Every structure is written in structure tokens, then in C-alpha cells.
Amino acid sequence: MPIAVNGINHFAISVPDLEASIAWYERIFGFTVIHRSVIPGIDAKVSHMQGPGFQLELFQVPGAHPLPAGRSVPNEDLMTHGNKHMALGVVDGPKAKAELEALGVSIVKVAEIDGTYDVFITDNAGNLIEVFEEGPR
């Protein structure tokens, strides 16, 4: 029997500047900080932010390795095993794209495949995010 899950609880992202990333996710997506902590032994600063139906967990770890350049390019990132990106659903993809651009967010790629409309962006630390139009076009 498969294990029963309730859904997505959280996404976790390591960032070089916790405060800058908190400000970015607040400004761009309206996420709010709900908890802060430190992981003992590695002095990692942690912030949990509430998103739409899930939490985003941000880590700032002293001495962490920077994000490899290819991880910020959607098709290049597919060539590396591991987690790829978080995808946030929207009703109107082109409208969301225009709103992101108005907020100063650079669009990495627009993908229209099999009737979908996806906008790929990066956060302030270079982590890929997909803004996905839900429903048929």
C-alpha cells in the first residue's frame, strides 16, 4: 500500500543572504515570515515563510557552496540530477509574466508546450521558479 500524504508541506531553498531572500519573496509573491530559527552546530539561519497552501523554508548556511551557473537555466538544469524548481500556479500566465516584469523580475524562459504556458524566473539568489498557468489554454 502506498503511504497517504496530505499534499506539499514545504519547499526548502539554500540562499546566500537570508534577509535579501525574505524581502524578495515578500515583494514578489507576498509570502510572509511565520518562524525563524537557527540550526545548532552549523549556525544555519532558517526562515519559514507562508505561501499559498505551503511553506517556503529558506536556509543561510555559513560557507555554503554557490549555486552552479547551469542551475539557473531551465534546459541546462535538466542535465543535472536532483530537484529542479518549485512551480507556482496562476490563472493567467501572460498576465503573471507582465506583472513579474513590472516588478523588475527577469524572465528566463517562456515555454508553451502541449497547450501549457509556463514562465521561468529566478529568485534573487538564482534559484529557478516556474510560474505555471493552470488549466487548459
Side-chain angles (χ1 to χ4, degrees):
M1 294 275 310
I3 186 171
V5 297
N6 295 328
I8 300 291
N9 179 271
H10 70 274
F11 291 97
I13 302 174
S14 181
V15 298
D17 184 334
L18 185 65
E19 297 308 319
S21 291
I22 288 170
W24 191 89
Y25 280 95
E26 286 175 337
R27 184 174 70 84
I28 302 302
F29 294 117
F31 291 11
T32 57
V33 174
I34 57 173
H35 184 259
R36 288 177 179 259
S37 61
V38 174
I39 298 174
I42 61 170
D43 296 323
K45 296 178 185 175
V46 183
S47 176
H48 289 86
M49 300 186 79
Q50 186 63 54
F54 71 94
Q55 291 180 23
L56 178 64
E57 185 176 27
L58 300 175
F59 296 92
Q60 179 183 332
V61 183
H65 301 287
L67 185 71
R71 297 301 310 260
S72 296
V73 180
N75 288 351
E76 196 173 324
D77 184 47
L78 292 175
M79 302 303 292
T80 301
H81 293 159
N83 295 321
K84 300 293 100 196
H85 57 264
M86 75 172 155
L88 303 174
V90 297
V91 173
D92 185 330
K95 179 181 178 200
K97 177 182 179 278
E99 291 170 343
L100 288 164
E101 289 172 325
L103 288 167
V105 176
S106 295
I107 305 302
V108 175
K109 178 181 180 174
V110 173
E112 296 183 71
I113 302 169
D114 296 331
T116 65
Y117 186 93
D118 315 351
V119 178
F120 286 89
I121 64 172
T122 55
D123 69 8
N124 64 306
N127 296 294
L128 273 176
I129 300 169
E130 178 182 11
V131 178
F132 183 84
E133 182 177 277
E134 296 179 330
R137 289 194 53 83

